[in-house]
């Protein structure tokens, strides 16, 4: 008979199972591919976790049982590793085909079933009964992955090669770019520009090889001609403070030249005569997408052409996603159209690798129309101040921006064009409003559904990029104008019923910081009514600093509340407490809340609510 071991010896293994489950759930939420397969694994790991957690019979805790549990945890760990491999494109390439993915899944399930039988665990789910459903989910994921690979290959140069060679080519690009991005990130964190230069050797191209033309695009972009090949190039002037950053990025961006839907970066050059640096890219004859739409309009841009633009951009974004780069500024001004009507992604000034896509991304009047509600809300309300909980820009934000861009392409209109004010657009988007599609305009129903899903208020409900790519591929290839005109228009995304409408103009669109500055300067004629409206509006949106100042104004008698002094004290005390609960970031709120409690002001309300 085996020795009986104390239950405490099993606890680390029990914890390992719970940790594996949480990790696979995280992988599922960020998956680029094979979400159905990952969900099947989650169901099995969760069932095992529940069964293991309720084991309390002492006679089961033998040394043999411990060894078997160790082996079973190893199987679950392999499931976790497998999930990590099949959900990220940079890793799924190692399987080089759907058959190996299916074989690996089948082997893992067999090992799982053996482990369950040896441990004599009672599962709440009989996975044998659900075998047909599981097989269908597996096959659906594998079909989508194959379609994705085919669609992505269309954007890669030399598409006449065999598919297995194309897969290998993409894999090599993924590996090179990812390695360079990670290296650049680690070097950049140390601020060692000399070391970066020594590794990457990004030397300027000879300026004398090019001659300028009279064709301008804005203040910074001009067309130059290569004196030997007579080929046109775009020269973009680089600000002095950005030279090192641009030079570092070009090293990586030049490696993206294999994708036909990303602007081709050639390098940079230096003009000694005026001491200017220029970024050299390919020249897009038809300007950027916003300009192209304004100059041509829906009358000249056929629906098939519009769908082609959408499909082009999807291929470019999926390529970036494959090499673990987020663009972070997807909008029509950053899409250019070539003379062959091919859409290409440009302007990588704020792009980052996945791991370094921090939250340091300002929303301004140029990008507000394409910014996701969660990013706009963070800017408006100052959502959570600690680095671990603060909202990070991720691919879900990028999917939203692409969704707005898809609407703009289909409608040939500027999003929210009837709203000129930054704050008004922000309020509309945060409240849940989205621009509707024009009825009976011939926009395919599947396209409208894809856009509505992409701009969903809940980031978790938005599709992943690979799904958008394959959907747009089908829409583009199967487009039939006759069928499109006969279809009913998809209903627009409704505005949320619980949205709060704010009168931004009532306080002259002051930011919180500006309102506090106005209060602290104590200028003659300061209008406390306007400042209170500002604090009240932002407090209602959840901003903790605004809650403090609203409470302060209430206590001072500068509010517009029409209620008794006791009611005002209750409101102020609650607001002080909500700001104080944010910790040491708001010490004044902590002090004033404590004083109100000591003085008995609003204390009854606080006791009833919080005890």
């Amino acid at each position: 008979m085996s020795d009986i071991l104390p239950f405490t010896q099993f606890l680390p293994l029990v914890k390992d199972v719970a940790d594996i489950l949480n990790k696979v759930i995280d992988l599922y939420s960020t998956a680029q591919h094979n979400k159905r397969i990952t969900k099947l694994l989650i169901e099995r790991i969760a069932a095992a976790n529940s069964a293991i957690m309720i084991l309390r019979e002492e006679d089961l805790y033998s040394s043999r049982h411990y060894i078997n549990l160790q082996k079973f945890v190893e199987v679950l760990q392999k499931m976790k590793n497998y999930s990590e491999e099949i959900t990220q494109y940079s890793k799924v390439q190692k399987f080089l085909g759907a058959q190996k993915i299916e074989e690996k899944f089948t082997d893992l399930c067999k090992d799982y079933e053996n482990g369950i039988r040896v441990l004599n665990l009672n599962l709440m789910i009989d996975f044998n009964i659900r075998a047909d459903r599981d097989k269908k989910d597996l096959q659906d994921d594998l079909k989508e992955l194959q379609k994705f690979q085919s669609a992505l290959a269309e954007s890669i140069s030399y598409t006449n090669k065999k598919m297995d060679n194309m897969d290998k080519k993409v894999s090599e690009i993924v590996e090179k770019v990812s390695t360079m991005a990670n290296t650049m990130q680690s070097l950049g964190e140390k601020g060692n520009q000399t070391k970066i230069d020594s590794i990457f050797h990004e030397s300027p191209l000879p300026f004398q090889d090019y001659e300028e033309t009279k064709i301008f695009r804005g203040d910074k972009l001009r067309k130059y001609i290569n004196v030997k090949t007579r080929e046109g190039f775009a020269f973009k002037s680089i600000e002095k403070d950005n030279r090192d950053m641009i030079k570092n990025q070009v090293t990586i961006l030049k490696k993206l030249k294999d994708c036909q839907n990303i602007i081709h970066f050639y390098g940079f050059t230096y003009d000694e005569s005026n001491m200017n640096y220029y970024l050299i890219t390919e020249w897009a004859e038809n300007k950027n997408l916003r300009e192209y739409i304004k100059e041509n309009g829906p009358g000249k841009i056929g629906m098939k052409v519009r769908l082609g633009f959408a499909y082009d951009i999807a291929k470019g974004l999926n390529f970036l996603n494959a090499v673990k780069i987020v663009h972070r500024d997807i909008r029509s001004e950053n899409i250019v159209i070539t003379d062959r009507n091919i859409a290409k992604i440009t302007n990588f000034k704020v792009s980052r690798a996945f791991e370094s896509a921090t939250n340091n991304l300002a929303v301004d009047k140029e990008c507000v129309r394409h910014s996701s509600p969660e990013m706009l809300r963070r800017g408006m309300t100052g959502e959570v101040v600690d680095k671990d909980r603060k909202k990070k820009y991720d691919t879900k934000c990028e999917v939203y921006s692409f969704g707005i861009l898809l609407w703009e392409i289909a409608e040939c209109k500027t999003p929210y064009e009837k709203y000129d004010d930054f704050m008004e657009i922000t309020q509309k988007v945060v409240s849940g409003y989205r621009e509707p599609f024009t009825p009976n305009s011939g926009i395919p129903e599947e396209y409208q559904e894809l856009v509505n899903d992409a701009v969903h208020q809940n980031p978790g409900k938005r599709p992943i990029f690979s799904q958008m790519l394959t959907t747009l591929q089908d829409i583009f290839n199967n487009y039939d104008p006759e069928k499109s005109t006969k279809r009913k228009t998809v209903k627009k995304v409704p505005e949320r019923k619980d949205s709060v409408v704010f009168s931004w103009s009532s306080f002259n669109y002051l930011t919180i910081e500006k309102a506090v500055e106005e209060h602290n300067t104590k200028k003659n004629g300061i209008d406390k009514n306007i400042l209170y409206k500002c604090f009240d509006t932002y407090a209602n949106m959840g901003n903790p600093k605004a809650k403090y100042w609203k409470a302060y104004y209430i206590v001072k008698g500068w509010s517009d509340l029409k209620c008794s002094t006791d009611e005002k004290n209750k409101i102020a005390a609650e607001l002080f407490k909500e700001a104080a609960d944010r910790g040491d970031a708001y010490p004044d709120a902590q002090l004033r809340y404590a004083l109100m409690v000591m003085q008995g002001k609003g204390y009854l309300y606080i006791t009833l609510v919080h005890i």
Side-chain angles (χ1 to χ4, degrees):
M1 182 175 178
S2 301
D3 297 333
I4 301 300
L5 302 177
F7 175 69
T8 52
Q9 191 164 336
F10 287 77
L11 282 177
L13 294 177
V14 174
K15 182 178 181 301
D16 286 344
V17 176
D19 290 343
I20 290 171
L21 175 60
N22 290 330
K23 178 60 178 177
V24 178
I25 291 174
D26 288 342
L27 290 169
Y28 175 82
S29 65
T30 58
Q32 299 173 16
H33 304 280
N34 298 314
K35 293 198 75 162
R36 297 182 187 89
I37 298 176
T38 309
K39 187 177 181 181
L40 298 180
L41 296 175
I42 288 175
E43 291 173 351
R44 285 165 169 76
I45 299 171
N49 181 60
S50 298
I52 291 171
M53 289 294 290
I54 62 176
L55 284 178
R56 290 294 182 271
E57 297 295 332
E58 289 190 3
D59 57 344
L60 292 178
Y61 294 111
S62 63
S63 57
R64 172 178 289 183
H65 190 77
Y66 180 80
I67 293 172
N68 289 334
L69 184 57
Q70 278 185 316
K71 293 179 179 178
F72 184 64
V73 171
E74 290 177 4
V75 173
L76 300 184
Q77 182 68 34
K78 290 179 181 178
M79 284 184 162
K80 190 265 291 182
N81 294 339
Y82 173 74
S83 300
E84 195 169 12
E85 291 169 341
I86 65 172
T87 53
Q88 303 299 316
Y89 189 71
S90 58
K91 295 185 178 181
V92 76
Q93 284 291 310
K94 68 176 287 187
F95 289 97
L96 295 178
Q99 185 177 353
K100 289 190 176 181
I101 295 178
E102 185 173 5
E103 289 174 354
K104 182 70 172 178
F105 177 82
T106 302
D107 291 342
L108 285 172
C109 288
K110 286 179 180 178
D111 292 342
Y112 174 88
E113 291 166 3
N114 290 334
I116 293 294
R117 185 174 60 255
V118 170
L119 288 168
N120 197 28
L121 296 177
N122 293 318
L123 301 183
M124 298 178 66
I125 301 175
D126 187 347
F127 291 104
N128 291 321
I129 295 177
R130 301 167 61 167
D132 290 341
R133 186 215 66 167
D134 289 0
K135 186 174 182 179
K136 182 181 183 303
D137 286 347
L138 177 68
Q139 293 300 323
D140 287 345
D141 260 2
L142 297 181
K143 287 178 182 177
E144 281 192 9
L145 180 60
Q146 289 175 320
K147 284 181 64 178
F148 167 80
Q149 290 173 313
S150 174
L152 187 63
E154 287 186 21
S155 69
I156 308 299
S157 303
Y158 314 111
T159 54
N160 58 330
K161 290 187 177 182
K162 293 182 179 180
M163 191 62 191
D164 56 347
N165 290 336
M166 187 56 60
D167 283 347
K168 185 177 180 180
K169 183 177 179 64
V170 174
S171 297
E172 290 175 354
I173 296 170
V174 168
E175 185 177 355
K176 287 180 181 178
V177 175
S178 299
T179 300
M180 291 183 69
N182 292 335
T183 302
M184 193 72 80
Q185 177 190 346
S186 62
L187 291 173
E189 289 170 353
K190 300 173 184 177
N192 194 338
Q193 185 60 41
T194 303
K195 194 171 183 179
I196 292 175
D197 293 339
S198 65
I199 292 177
F200 295 109
H201 303 294
E202 191 61 44
S203 302
L205 299 172
F207 183 77
Q208 62 271 20
D209 287 353
Y210 305 87
E211 61 183 30
E212 65 179 358
T213 70
K214 295 181 179 180
I215 302 176
F216 289 86
R217 298 274 171 81
D219 297 332
K220 296 183 179 180
L221 194 65
R222 186 167 187 169
K223 184 177 183 180
Y224 275 69
I225 301 293
N226 186 286
V227 296
K228 297 178 181 178
T229 65
R230 308 310 298 172
E231 183 181 357
F233 294 88
F235 274 46
K236 185 175 182 179
S237 60
I238 304 172
E239 295 178 4
K240 183 178 180 181
D241 295 340
N242 295 330
R243 287 174 186 172
D244 284 339
M245 180 187 71
I246 294 295
K247 187 166 62 172
N248 297 343
Q249 284 189 336
V250 167
T251 306
I252 297 176
L253 296 174
K254 284 173 65 177
K255 300 298 180 182
L256 305 180
K257 61 181 174 56
D258 295 280
C259 181
Q260 298 181 69
N261 300 112
I262 294 174
I263 199 75
H264 190 164
F265 290 83
Y266 294 95
F268 69 98
T269 189
Y270 177 66
D271 181 6
E272 294 183 356
S273 63
N274 57 20
M275 294 185 293
N276 276 346
Y277 277 88
Y278 296 93
L279 176 64
I280 305 178
T281 66
E282 65 179 302
W283 178 257
E285 191 64 36
N286 288 326
K287 305 180 181 179
N288 68 46
L289 181 60
R290 176 67 60 81
E291 294 170 321
Y292 184 86
I293 289 174
K294 286 184 177 180
E295 290 181 4
N296 295 281
K300 293 183 179 180
I301 310 175
M303 186 57 65
K304 185 73 171 181
V305 174
R306 292 180 237 175
L307 295 177
F309 288 161
Y311 184 35
D312 284 344
I313 300 166
K315 287 184 285 187
L317 286 172
N318 272 273
F319 186 84
L320 290 177
N321 202 39
V323 298
K324 301 192 293 185
I325 291 178
V326 282
H327 187 276
R328 304 207 308 171
D329 196 12
I330 294 299
R331 49 192 170 96
S332 53
E333 294 93 334
N334 292 332
I335 306 296
V336 294
I337 310 298
T338 70
D339 55 353
R340 293 184 294 144
N341 271 354
I342 296 175
K344 299 196 176 194
I345 302 172
T346 187
N347 193 359
F348 288 77
K349 184 171 67 173
V350 295
S351 302
R352 296 289 186 275
F354 279 179
E355 293 79 3
S356 58
T358 63
N359 47 47
N360 298 321
L361 184 64
V363 177
D364 56 29
K365 65 180 181 180
E366 293 180 350
C367 62
V368 65
R369 300 176 192 276
H370 295 80
S371 294
S372 65
E374 59 268 28
M375 297 304 292
L376 293 175
R377 189 182 299 111
R378 190 205 74 191
M380 293 297 297
T381 66
E383 280 185 349
V384 289
V385 294
D386 64 277
K387 64 179 180 180
D388 295 325
R389 293 161 57 202
K390 193 170 184 178
K391 179 62 190 173
K392 179 180 179 180
Y393 187 97
D394 55 20
T395 55
K396 292 298 182 183
C397 301
E398 197 115 294
V399 165
Y400 176 92
S401 298
F402 185 37
I404 296 296
L405 181 57
L406 290 177
W407 181 92
E408 183 175 357
I409 291 170
E411 289 284 340
C412 289
K413 297 177 184 176
T414 301
Y416 310 103
E417 62 183 358
K418 60 183 177 182
Y419 306 106
D420 294 325
D421 186 81
F422 176 101
M423 297 295 286
E424 190 173 11
I425 295 173
T426 297
Q427 189 272 324
K428 296 290 287 186
V429 173
V430 168
S431 296
Y433 174 79
R434 304 290 185 271
E435 293 277 58
F437 282 99
T438 303
N440 304 317
S441 59
I443 301 171
E445 183 178 343
E446 297 91 339
Y447 188 100
Q448 296 184 48
E449 290 173 347
L450 179 66
V451 171
N452 287 342
D453 289 342
V455 298
H456 199 286
Q457 194 79 356
N458 181 351
K461 297 293 183 66
R462 297 171 197 160
I464 56 179
F465 270 129
S466 59
Q467 290 175 336
M468 298 186 77
L469 175 62
T470 54
T471 300
L472 287 169
Q473 181 189 43
D474 288 341
I475 294 172
F476 176 73
N477 290 335
N478 302 323
Y479 173 69
D480 184 342
E482 291 295 325
K483 293 181 179 179
S484 295
T485 54
K486 293 178 182 178
R487 286 174 175 157
K488 295 181 180 179
T489 301
V490 177
K491 292 182 179 179
K492 69 176 182 178
V493 179
E495 189 166 358
R496 281 176 18 186
K497 298 296 183 183
D498 60 344
S499 62
V500 181
V501 179
F502 304 111
S503 178
W504 302 104
S505 59
S506 64
F507 55 86
N508 297 330
Y509 305 94
L510 285 171
T511 63
I512 290 294
E513 288 72 18
K514 185 64 177 176
V516 173
E517 181 183 339
E518 288 288 330
H519 170 86
N520 290 332
T521 55
K522 297 181 180 179
K523 296 177 181 178
N524 293 331
I526 185 173
D527 192 337
K528 290 187 174 62
N529 290 329
I530 291 179
L531 294 182
Y532 176 75
K533 288 179 181 178
C534 177
F535 296 138
D536 180 47
T537 297
Y538 287 109
N540 289 335
M541 295 180 70
N543 187 296
K545 182 182 289 188
K547 288 181 179 181
Y548 166 78
W549 282 100
K550 177 180 177 180
Y552 180 83
Y553 268 50
I554 291 173
V555 170
K556 290 294 185 179
W558 300 334
S559 73
D560 58 5
L561 294 177
K562 307 297 182 184
C563 56
S564 66
T565 301
D566 286 342
E567 288 295 323
K568 290 179 181 179
N569 284 336
K570 291 176 184 177
I571 295 172
E574 178 65 11
L575 289 169
F576 278 137
K577 184 180 187 307
E578 289 177 7
D581 286 344
R582 293 303 185 102
D584 295 337
Y586 301 96
D588 290 345
Q590 295 174 335
L591 176 60
R592 291 188 182 278
Y593 170 66
L595 288 174
M596 291 195 76
V597 171
M598 292 173 61
Q599 296 169 2
K601 295 180 179 180
Y603 183 67
L604 177 61
Y605 174 78
I606 296 166
T607 302
L608 291 174
V609 173
H610 298 288
I611 294 181

mmCIF file of all heavy atoms in Angstrom, residues 360-380:
data_model
loop_
_atom_site.group_PDB
_atom_site.id
_atom_site.type_symbol
_atom_site.label_atom_id
_atom_site.label_comp_id
_atom_site.label_asym_id
_atom_site.label_seq_id
_atom_site.Cartn_x
_atom_site.Cartn_y
_atom_site.Cartn_z
ATOM 1 N N ASN A 360 0.740 55.485 -23.269
ATOM 2 C CA ASN A 360 1.143 56.868 -23.515
ATOM 3 C C ASN A 360 0.780 57.305 -24.929
ATOM 4 O O ASN A 360 1.631 57.571 -25.766
ATOM 5 C CB ASN A 360 2.656 57.035 -23.290
ATOM 6 C CG ASN A 360 3.042 56.726 -21.861
ATOM 7 O OD1 ASN A 360 2.313 57.070 -20.940
ATOM 8 N ND2 ASN A 360 4.179 56.092 -21.681
ATOM 9 N N LEU A 361 -0.502 57.346 -25.207
ATOM 10 C CA LEU A 361 -0.983 57.696 -26.534
ATOM 11 C C LEU A 361 -2.069 58.753 -26.384
ATOM 12 O O LEU A 361 -3.155 58.489 -25.896
ATOM 13 C CB LEU A 361 -1.544 56.463 -27.249
ATOM 14 C CG LEU A 361 -2.008 56.675 -28.694
ATOM 15 C CD1 LEU A 361 -0.809 57.052 -29.570
ATOM 16 C CD2 LEU A 361 -2.657 55.421 -29.232
ATOM 17 N N ALA A 362 -1.732 59.968 -26.767
ATOM 18 C CA ALA A 362 -2.685 61.063 -26.627
ATOM 19 C C ALA A 362 -3.721 61.024 -27.739
ATOM 20 O O ALA A 362 -3.428 60.645 -28.864
ATOM 21 C CB ALA A 362 -1.938 62.395 -26.647
ATOM 22 N N VAL A 363 -4.944 61.401 -27.392
ATOM 23 C CA VAL A 363 -6.016 61.516 -28.379
ATOM 24 C C VAL A 363 -6.189 62.996 -28.697
ATOM 25 O O VAL A 363 -6.422 63.804 -27.805
ATOM 26 C CB VAL A 363 -7.332 60.932 -27.829
ATOM 27 C CG1 VAL A 363 -8.451 61.137 -28.835
ATOM 28 C CG2 VAL A 363 -7.158 59.455 -27.514
ATOM 29 N N ASP A 364 -6.050 63.360 -29.968
ATOM 30 C CA ASP A 364 -6.201 64.759 -30.351
ATOM 31 C C ASP A 364 -7.283 64.889 -31.403
ATOM 32 O O ASP A 364 -7.945 63.915 -31.774
ATOM 33 C CB ASP A 364 -4.872 65.331 -30.847
ATOM 34 C CG ASP A 364 -4.278 64.517 -32.002
ATOM 35 O OD1 ASP A 364 -5.061 63.898 -32.760
ATOM 36 O OD2 ASP A 364 -3.048 64.493 -32.147
ATOM 37 N N LYS A 365 -7.469 66.098 -31.892
ATOM 38 C CA LYS A 365 -8.560 66.364 -32.836
ATOM 39 C C LYS A 365 -8.375 65.637 -34.157
ATOM 40 O O LYS A 365 -9.338 65.424 -34.880
ATOM 41 C CB LYS A 365 -8.681 67.866 -33.072
ATOM 42 C CG LYS A 365 -7.469 68.503 -33.762
ATOM 43 C CD LYS A 365 -7.665 69.997 -33.956
ATOM 44 C CE LYS A 365 -6.471 70.639 -34.656
ATOM 45 N NZ LYS A 365 -6.661 72.093 -34.848
ATOM 46 N N GLU A 366 -7.151 65.225 -34.474
ATOM 47 C CA GLU A 366 -6.907 64.534 -35.736
ATOM 48 C C GLU A 366 -7.367 63.084 -35.692
ATOM 49 O O GLU A 366 -7.838 62.540 -36.692
ATOM 50 C CB GLU A 366 -5.416 64.602 -36.082
ATOM 51 C CG GLU A 366 -4.920 66.013 -36.398
ATOM 52 C CD GLU A 366 -3.444 66.032 -36.740
ATOM 53 O OE1 GLU A 366 -2.788 64.990 -36.547
ATOM 54 O OE2 GLU A 366 -2.945 67.073 -37.187
ATOM 55 N N CYS A 367 -7.219 62.440 -34.548
ATOM 56 C CA CYS A 367 -7.539 61.006 -34.480
ATOM 57 C C CYS A 367 -8.785 60.690 -33.660
ATOM 58 O O CYS A 367 -9.154 59.523 -33.544
ATOM 59 C CB CYS A 367 -6.347 60.231 -33.924
ATOM 60 S SG CYS A 367 -5.875 60.673 -32.250
ATOM 61 N N VAL A 368 -9.455 61.705 -33.107
ATOM 62 C CA VAL A 368 -10.597 61.447 -32.234
ATOM 63 C C VAL A 368 -11.715 60.709 -32.956
ATOM 64 O O VAL A 368 -12.421 59.886 -32.361
ATOM 65 C CB VAL A 368 -11.125 62.779 -31.627
ATOM 66 C CG1 VAL A 368 -11.688 63.689 -32.718
ATOM 67 C CG2 VAL A 368 -12.180 62.513 -30.572
ATOM 68 N N ARG A 369 -11.896 60.941 -34.252
ATOM 69 C CA ARG A 369 -12.985 60.307 -35.000
ATOM 70 C C ARG A 369 -12.775 58.803 -35.143
ATOM 71 O O ARG A 369 -13.732 58.065 -35.383
ATOM 72 C CB ARG A 369 -13.117 60.942 -36.387
ATOM 73 C CG ARG A 369 -13.416 62.430 -36.354
ATOM 74 C CD ARG A 369 -13.450 63.049 -37.744
ATOM 75 N NE ARG A 369 -13.451 64.493 -37.658
ATOM 76 C CZ ARG A 369 -14.546 65.235 -37.471
ATOM 77 N NH1 ARG A 369 -15.715 64.634 -37.394
ATOM 78 N NH2 ARG A 369 -14.474 66.554 -37.390
ATOM 79 N N HIS A 370 -11.539 58.349 -35.019
ATOM 80 C CA HIS A 370 -11.249 56.924 -35.172
ATOM 81 C C HIS A 370 -10.808 56.280 -33.861
ATOM 82 O O HIS A 370 -10.416 55.109 -33.852
ATOM 83 C CB HIS A 370 -10.160 56.717 -36.229
ATOM 84 C CG HIS A 370 -10.565 57.121 -37.613
ATOM 85 N ND1 HIS A 370 -10.558 58.438 -38.027
ATOM 86 C CD2 HIS A 370 -11.002 56.391 -38.673
ATOM 87 C CE1 HIS A 370 -10.966 58.498 -39.290
ATOM 88 N NE2 HIS A 370 -11.229 57.275 -39.703
ATOM 89 N N SER A 371 -10.866 57.000 -32.739
ATOM 90 C CA SER A 371 -10.408 56.476 -31.456
ATOM 91 C C SER A 371 -11.519 55.686 -30.767
ATOM 92 O O SER A 371 -12.681 56.082 -30.778
ATOM 93 C CB SER A 371 -9.949 57.614 -30.537
ATOM 94 O OG SER A 371 -8.808 58.245 -31.073
ATOM 95 N N SER A 372 -11.150 54.582 -30.143
ATOM 96 C CA SER A 372 -12.114 53.707 -29.482
ATOM 97 C C SER A 372 -12.697 54.382 -28.246
ATOM 98 O O SER A 372 -12.049 55.233 -27.627
ATOM 99 C CB SER A 372 -11.442 52.397 -29.082
ATOM 100 O OG SER A 372 -10.439 52.632 -28.112
ATOM 101 N N PRO A 373 -13.911 54.001 -27.855
ATOM 102 C CA PRO A 373 -14.532 54.632 -26.679
ATOM 103 C C PRO A 373 -13.742 54.433 -25.403
ATOM 104 O O PRO A 373 -13.710 55.320 -24.545
ATOM 105 C CB PRO A 373 -15.910 53.952 -26.602
ATOM 106 C CG PRO A 373 -15.800 52.722 -27.436
ATOM 107 C CD PRO A 373 -14.804 53.025 -28.501
ATOM 108 N N GLU A 374 -13.055 53.265 -25.269
ATOM 109 C CA GLU A 374 -12.302 53.045 -24.034
ATOM 110 C C GLU A 374 -11.103 53.983 -23.945
ATOM 111 O O GLU A 374 -10.735 54.436 -22.854
ATOM 112 C CB GLU A 374 -11.854 51.591 -23.901
ATOM 113 C CG GLU A 374 -10.978 51.051 -25.014
ATOM 114 C CD GLU A 374 -11.759 50.388 -26.136
ATOM 115 O OE1 GLU A 374 -12.928 50.782 -26.349
ATOM 116 O OE2 GLU A 374 -11.208 49.507 -26.805
ATOM 117 N N MET A 375 -10.474 54.320 -25.099
ATOM 118 C CA MET A 375 -9.364 55.257 -25.068
ATOM 119 C C MET A 375 -9.859 56.685 -24.825
ATOM 120 O O MET A 375 -9.234 57.458 -24.103
ATOM 121 C CB MET A 375 -8.576 55.191 -26.373
ATOM 122 C CG MET A 375 -7.918 53.841 -26.643
ATOM 123 S SD MET A 375 -6.821 53.295 -25.314
ATOM 124 C CE MET A 375 -5.507 54.502 -25.441
ATOM 125 N N LEU A 376 -10.987 57.024 -25.419
ATOM 126 C CA LEU A 376 -11.551 58.357 -25.199
ATOM 127 C C LEU A 376 -12.012 58.514 -23.750
ATOM 128 O O LEU A 376 -11.814 59.560 -23.142
ATOM 129 C CB LEU A 376 -12.733 58.583 -26.145
ATOM 130 C CG LEU A 376 -12.406 58.662 -27.636
ATOM 131 C CD1 LEU A 376 -13.682 58.762 -28.452
ATOM 132 C CD2 LEU A 376 -11.497 59.847 -27.934
ATOM 133 N N ARG A 377 -12.615 57.467 -23.204
ATOM 134 C CA ARG A 377 -13.094 57.528 -21.830
ATOM 135 C C ARG A 377 -11.932 57.686 -20.860
ATOM 136 O O ARG A 377 -12.017 58.418 -19.882
ATOM 137 C CB ARG A 377 -13.890 56.266 -21.502
ATOM 138 C CG ARG A 377 -14.621 56.339 -20.149
ATOM 139 C CD ARG A 377 -15.350 55.040 -19.837
ATOM 140 N NE ARG A 377 -16.355 54.760 -20.838
ATOM 141 C CZ ARG A 377 -16.280 53.754 -21.711
ATOM 142 N NH1 ARG A 377 -15.218 52.968 -21.700
ATOM 143 N NH2 ARG A 377 -17.234 53.544 -22.585
ATOM 144 N N ARG A 378 -10.837 56.989 -21.151
ATOM 145 C CA ARG A 378 -9.658 57.124 -20.291
ATOM 146 C C ARG A 378 -9.158 58.552 -20.272
ATOM 147 O O ARG A 378 -8.813 59.110 -19.235
ATOM 148 C CB ARG A 378 -8.546 56.195 -20.783
ATOM 149 C CG ARG A 378 -7.365 56.082 -19.824
ATOM 150 C CD ARG A 378 -6.106 55.681 -20.575
ATOM 151 N NE ARG A 378 -5.590 56.798 -21.352
ATOM 152 C CZ ARG A 378 -4.641 56.682 -22.260
ATOM 153 N NH1 ARG A 378 -4.129 55.513 -22.543
ATOM 154 N NH2 ARG A 378 -4.214 57.746 -22.918
ATOM 155 N N GLY A 379 -9.156 59.187 -21.457
ATOM 156 C CA GLY A 379 -8.702 60.569 -21.528
ATOM 157 C C GLY A 379 -9.640 61.532 -20.836
ATOM 158 O O GLY A 379 -9.209 62.529 -20.259
ATOM 159 N N MET A 380 -10.953 61.210 -20.858
ATOM 160 C CA MET A 380 -11.935 62.121 -20.263
ATOM 161 C C MET A 380 -12.029 61.966 -18.754
ATOM 162 O O MET A 380 -12.201 62.931 -18.027
ATOM 163 C CB MET A 380 -13.313 61.856 -20.880
ATOM 164 C CG MET A 380 -13.417 62.207 -22.351
ATOM 165 S SD MET A 380 -13.164 63.964 -22.650
ATOM 166 C CE MET A 380 -14.542 64.644 -21.745
#
